[in-house]
Amino acid sequence: MGCGDQAGLGCERFDLDPRFPSPPQVQALSDRVAGASSVVGVGLAATWLLSMSGRLPGIDGVPMLALFPYLGVDAAPYGAYRYGTWWATLWLRLAGSRLLRHMMSAVAITPSPRGLEGIYASRRLSWAHAAAALDRPDFAALALSPQAPITVVLNRASADLLPERAEAILAVLNAHISVAFAQPDVAEICDVVRRWATGSPVGLPGTPAVSGGGEGGDV
C-alpha cells in the first residue's frame, strides 16, 4: 500500500484484473490471504475488499482494513440523501465493453467521488475506474457485503463527510464493520496501519481508538 519499510511491515502486493476479477483470480487471492497476518486495501482496492470479502473463504479470521474506500455515488456517510440511481448502474455496466471502457476512462464521475479526496487527483477517477472496483454504486449493497470483521477508515478530509451519520448508518447496516476516520495525507498514517496490523489500538495519541465493537474514532 506504499508504506513499505517506513511502517515496518512485510507487505505483499496482489494485482487483480483491471476490469473485473475472474473466478481464477478470486480463488488465487483467497489462497494467498489464507493464513495471512492481515489484509489492507486502499482507495478502490478498499472498495473491492468490502465488496468481495464475503466471497473469499480463505479470509475467514484474517484481520481486514479498508482504508478510504470509494463507497459509490450514493454514499450516505458522505452526504448523499437519495436512493441508488439507475443511470450510475448503467454506466458501470457499460464499462464491460472494451471500447466504451476506453472512452469512459476520460469521463469523470459526477458528482465528484466522495471520500477519495487526497487519494486520487480531482476528476481523475472515471467510471471505468469505478467499474473495476464494484459492479453497482449503491452504498447499502456495498456496506452489507462484509461477512467478517473489517475496519473501515473514512476520509476525514472530505467536506461531505458526516461522521455521526456515518457511524450510525454503518452500525445499523453491518455489525461486522468498525468505523474510524483519518486524514489521508498525514505522515502518521503508515504507523497507524502498522499498529493496526499488530493488533494494537489504532487511535493516535489524544484521540479515541477503534474498538472491535464498531465504535468510531479518529486515527
Side-chain angles (χ1 to χ4, degrees):
M1 59 164 287
C3 289
D5 294 337
Q6 178 182 353
L9 290 172
C11 298
E12 181 181 5
R13 177 170 175 164
F14 188 89
D15 292 316
L16 293 168
D17 187 290
R19 184 165 60 102
F20 302 113
S22 64
Q25 283 188 315
V26 173
Q27 182 60 52
L29 178 59
S30 183
D31 294 341
R32 184 80 64 85
V33 301
S37 59
S38 59
V39 177
V40 179
V42 184
L44 290 177
T47 305
W48 197 89
L49 185 60
L50 274 172
S51 178
M52 293 296 299
S53 61
R55 288 178 273 178
L56 296 174
I59 213 165
D60 289 346
V62 177
M64 294 180 286
L65 179 68
L67 196 60
F68 311 125
Y70 168 59
L71 298 177
V73 297
D74 304 305
Y78 289 104
Y81 293 93
R82 62 184 184 276
Y83 295 104
T85 50
W86 66 269
W87 59 267
T89 301
L90 177 61
W91 272 100
L92 293 176
R93 288 178 178 173
L94 290 175
S97 162
R98 177 176 298 181
L99 178 62
L100 289 175
R101 187 167 66 254
H102 178 74
M103 177 194 73
M104 291 166 65
S105 64
V107 179
I109 290 175
T110 303
S112 61
R114 295 182 176 92
L116 291 180
E117 293 86 348
I119 306 297
Y120 294 91
S122 178
R123 293 189 59 82
R124 183 177 177 185
L125 182 66
S126 69
W127 283 105
H129 288 120
L134 69 165
D135 58 5
R136 57 186 299 171
D138 300 349
F139 161 72
L142 191 62
L144 289 170
S145 295
Q147 299 177 20
I150 183 170
T151 299
V152 176
V153 180
L154 301 181
N155 193 338
R156 177 66 82 178
S158 175
D160 296 316
L161 177 66
L162 303 173
E164 296 79 9
R165 178 180 172 88
E167 289 180 330
I169 290 175
L170 287 169
V172 168
L173 288 177
N174 197 328
H176 295 306
I177 295 178
S178 296
V179 184
F181 308 93
Q183 297 279 134
D185 55 353
V186 296
E188 295 88 352
I189 194 67
C190 286
D191 187 55
V192 167
V193 175
R194 179 188 61 78
R195 285 186 279 125
W196 169 85
T198 59
S200 301
V202 297
L204 292 178
T207 62
V210 174
S211 73
E215 297 178 2
D218 284 341
V219 298

